Amino acid sequence: TPGFRLAALWDVADADDPAPDLLDAVRGCVGDRDRDIAAAAVEALAAFGPAAAAAAPELILAVWYGEPEVRPAAARALGRFA
């Protein structure tokens, strides 16, 4: 359910060191039609830091074409990779 996915993404975003095996699942949520899920996913990607650098193309698309709620979170996530 969307509520469960949202709660899981919040847990990943709050983790000090999220498990690397979660990265692909989080990346898959970046393009979700539900803007809350997409925004939570980009916030969660930021928690992975440089390990999520492979997600940069999805984040760049989110900055340019994402919903207004998603764009700032995607920009912040990209900033964590630098």
Side-chain angles (χ1 to χ4, degrees):
T1 67
F4 178 78
R5 290 187 303 159
L6 194 56
L9 289 166
W10 289 338
D11 285 345
V12 172
D14 288 341
D16 289 332
D17 189 22
D21 59 333
L22 297 175
L23 184 56
D24 287 336
V26 173
R27 282 180 72 179
C29 293
V30 171
D32 200 280
R33 291 186 313 208
D34 183 321
R35 67 185 92 168
D36 293 330
I37 299 289
V42 295
E43 291 285 347
L45 280 175
F48 288 94
E58 292 105 290
L59 292 171
I60 292 169
L61 287 174
V63 168
W64 281 99
Y65 303 109
E67 295 289 334
E69 297 86 355
V70 176
R71 290 178 180 189
R76 284 191 300 273
L78 284 168
R80 297 277 308 265
F81 301 160

